[in-house]
Amino acid sequence: MAIRPELLEVLARRALTEDSARPEAVARLHERGGRTARENLAELVDEGSFVEYGRFVTAAQSQRRPLDELLDRTAADGIVGGLATVDGHPVAALSYDYLVMAGTQGMRGHRKTDRLLDVIDRLRVPTVFFAAGGGGRPGDTDIPLVSALDVTTFAAWARLSGRVPRIAVVEDNCFAGNAVIAGCSDLIVATERASLGMGGPAMIAGGGLGDVAAADVGPIEVMEANGVVDVVARDDDAVGTARELLSYFLGRTTAWTAPDQASLREAVPEGERTAYDLLPIVETLCDEDSVTVLRPGFAPELLTALGRIEGRTVGVVGNDTRHWAGAVTADAGDKAARFLQLCDAHGFPVVSLVDTPGMMVGPDAERTGLVRHTSRLLVAAARMEVPLLGVVLRRGYGLGAQAMLGGSTHEPLMTIAWPGAHLGAMGLEGAVRLSMRRELEEIADPDEREARVRDLTAYAQAHSTALEVARHFEIDDVVDPAETRGILARLLDAADRDGRLVGSGRPVDTW
């Protein structure tokens, strides 16, 4: 049967939007380590599931470019997007196209994006956005513009915060408006070759700030350390990392394996002065191969991670004693507060693993705005609608421990402790030095004085054990560490009976 001319025209025009129509440009992108928008989307979504919006759009530049050039060089106006499935679950996926004017944002591209964001809001589907690109594009002549500040894309994307999960992937230079798309997202995955900034080289030079190479604007080592990026992925694994993050938002899994729990009995060193790696404890409590640590290079004294317990997504927050002894710093307060908001918005129960001497103290700490920043953790925890489950691993002292437990040992759905744990209003030695100050001052011999401090501290420790605290019902139970996962799982079952556990839908702070 002959194909009608109008269909032939559609098929020919469609072919111009494919990567195969731009082999030289694709080859150049590959040579510099990049991937095309369509390659990324094809790897992300289930085969054959992608339904594209606005494929035939071209840049609004017909007054300065012939039609053939627009069709050849401005396919889809530099953004590819639509609906699809990932592992059978409905999602939305968008990608700026670095082959079209360095992934810059055109006016028709903004209209396409806005159309998709409206569809996303209606359907409430998780969204992955490949955000790399050079920002706003000058030179669109077909639409009357002066400032272009009436563009609604950024407000529409920001308005989705808390309403749908949004993951941004940054594989290349990502500046100005493109960086805003990344910055407004819930989670940011970036590769080792990425560079992020609110202004690219041209804007920096135009502001009289000198010539800066694109790679030096916001290199990944900076963006990881300052907390902008949640997960750094290998250049060849950005899509796989995005899929893994997306999976946490796609519901409970039925296939899971529990690690051997007996190792937890020896996971925490005896005494209080030996630091240890918290991650193996988290990985043991969670299902095998289910843990992703977020923002590991920022405020490392506070671990935040997503994982699963019996297939259900949970957030895990905990004190890492290898940094500042696990004290709650200003940065840790910000990191924890934002993570709790993320979990609460999307319905993830939170497990808090406590081993802290308390809030960070001292003049240097106060210069960081400690009072405000650490208080964010308390406010975020107090507003959570999802369950908080508390586990005191070793030390639970002062306001820092209270903040990690939502403000009180009785704020979590349950607070348990491991056998070697101690709890108190402040670090025990500090409490001794404060409460017994006058008695200690009367001891002239320094060695004798310090010996007295040790004796009094040992006495305080004997009366602040987890069992003693539980005897006064300030915590709910003291458990064999190997029982912890089972207890958490049963509590989560109780909280989520009949699948009633849903997120608050409240916006998540970008910081």
Side-chain angles (χ1 to χ4, degrees):
M1 179 181 293
I3 300 178
R4 296 174 61 168
E6 57 268 29
L7 178 55
L8 280 173
E9 182 181 8
V10 169
L11 295 177
R13 185 70 66 83
R14 177 184 291 178
L16 291 176
T17 68
E18 299 292 340
D19 290 346
S20 57
R22 301 174 280 176
E24 294 180 358
V26 171
R28 287 193 298 271
L29 182 62
H30 287 171
E31 286 173 4
R32 59 190 294 263
R35 291 159 53 93
T36 72
R38 294 190 182 277
E39 286 172 335
N40 282 328
L41 294 177
E43 183 180 346
L44 175 73
V45 305
D46 298 339
E47 185 176 358
S49 70
F50 190 59
V51 178
E52 186 170 347
Y53 283 62
R55 172 191 289 269
F56 296 117
V57 172
T58 62
Q61 297 186 7
S62 60
Q63 296 181 35
R64 56 194 296 260
R65 299 175 186 266
L67 177 59
D68 287 347
E69 183 179 344
L70 291 173
L71 295 175
D72 288 341
R73 300 185 59 185
T74 70
D77 200 22
I79 183 164
V80 183
L83 300 175
T85 62
V86 171
D87 295 333
H89 297 275
V91 301
L94 303 90
S95 178
Y96 289 113
D97 188 347
Y98 222 83
L99 297 179
V100 176
M101 304 180 190
T104 51
Q105 299 166 325
M107 296 309 296
R108 286 181 182 150
H110 275 303
R111 289 181 60 191
K112 281 178 54 176
T113 306
D114 290 352
R115 167 72 166 147
L116 266 169
L117 297 184
D118 178 62
V119 170
I120 290 165
D121 193 22
R122 291 191 219 175
L123 301 181
R124 300 295 175 89
V125 287
T127 302
V128 177
F129 206 139
F130 293 84
R137 181 199 310 154
D140 282 2
T141 57
D142 301 351
I143 300 173
L145 296 171
V146 179
S147 69
L149 298 180
D150 57 345
V151 166
T152 56
T153 301
F154 306 120
W157 180 241
R159 196 172 294 119
L160 290 174
S161 178
R163 296 167 72 87
V164 300
R166 299 163 307 139
I167 299 168
V169 182
V170 180
E171 292 188 288
D172 210 314
N173 299 325
C174 183
F175 302 136
N178 295 64
V180 168
I181 294 296
C184 287
S185 302
D186 295 311
L187 297 168
I188 301 175
V189 178
T191 66
E192 296 163 346
R193 58 192 292 268
S195 180
L196 291 88
M198 290 308 296
M203 189 176 294
I204 293 169
L209 300 176
D211 295 328
V212 179
D216 296 330
V217 173
I220 195 61
E221 59 268 19
V222 172
M223 294 295 127
E224 182 181 25
N226 66 15
V228 168
V229 170
D230 291 281
V231 182
V232 177
R234 298 191 315 271
D235 290 343
D236 62 351
D237 195 36
V239 177
T241 301
R243 281 183 68 104
E244 177 63 26
L245 289 175
L246 188 63
S247 71
Y248 292 114
F249 299 91
L250 299 181
R252 189 171 184 177
T253 61
T254 56
W256 50 267
T257 304
D260 179 11
Q261 299 297 294
S263 63
L264 294 177
R265 292 171 176 163
E266 306 297 328
V268 174
E270 295 182 7
E272 295 190 352
R273 295 186 178 274
T274 303
Y276 60 94
D277 188 355
L278 182 63
L279 183 57
I281 294 177
V282 176
E283 292 176 332
T284 302
L285 289 172
C286 292
D287 300 345
E288 286 187 353
D289 300 320
S290 74
V291 174
T292 301
V293 178
L294 304 179
R295 302 171 93 181
F298 172 65
E301 61 273 14
L302 195 289
L303 179 143
T304 52
L306 294 175
R308 297 184 186 88
I309 295 179
E310 296 189 356
R312 179 188 285 109
T313 298
V314 297
V316 182
V317 60
N319 309 110
D320 191 330
T321 59
R322 298 174 301 171
H323 308 275
W324 297 115
V328 181
T329 64
D331 284 346
D334 287 341
K335 181 179 178 180
R338 204 262 178 181
F339 181 71
L340 295 186
Q341 289 180 349
L342 175 73
C343 293
D344 187 51
H346 299 295
F348 302 158
V350 177
V351 177
S352 181
L353 304 178
V354 182
D355 188 348
T356 181
M359 299 291 192
M360 193 65 182
V361 295
D364 289 342
E366 301 302 347
R367 277 190 282 271
T368 67
L370 188 76
V371 171
R372 288 279 193 175
H373 290 286
T374 54
S375 295
R376 287 192 66 211
L377 172 52
L378 285 156
V379 173
R383 288 179 56 82
M384 283 205 310
E385 297 179 14
V386 296
L388 174 66
L389 310 177
V391 183
V392 182
L393 303 182
R394 186 172 62 172
R395 297 166 303 163
Y397 294 145
L399 290 168
Q402 285 181 281
M404 293 292 295
L405 294 168
S408 159
T409 55
H410 286 169
E411 280 298 312
L413 185 62
M414 188 175 193
T415 298
I416 61 179
W418 286 4
H422 290 80
L423 295 88
M426 62 186 297
L428 298 181
E429 182 178 323
V432 165
R433 293 185 184 277
L434 178 64
S435 63
M436 305 297 291
R437 180 171 56 87
R438 289 189 178 180
E439 177 185 328
L440 293 171
E441 288 175 348
E442 293 174 355
I443 302 175
D445 187 314
D447 293 337
E448 182 182 348
R449 187 185 311 121
E450 290 305 308
R452 181 60 173 159
V453 169
R454 288 193 295 271
D455 291 342
L456 291 170
T457 301
Y459 178 83
Q461 286 180 325
H463 289 79
S464 62
T465 64
L467 281 175
E468 187 68 10
V469 175
R471 188 173 74 84
H472 288 77
F473 198 49
E474 294 180 359
I475 58 174
D476 296 299
D477 201 3
V478 183
V479 305
D480 177 349
E483 299 174 337
T484 306
R485 174 184 161 93
I487 292 170
L488 296 176
R490 301 293 73 77
L491 290 168
L492 295 175
D493 285 343
D496 193 24
R497 64 185 186 278
D498 302 323
R500 297 189 309 171
L501 189 60
V502 296
S504 68
R506 285 193 288 262
V508 180
D509 285 349
T510 59
W511 191 240

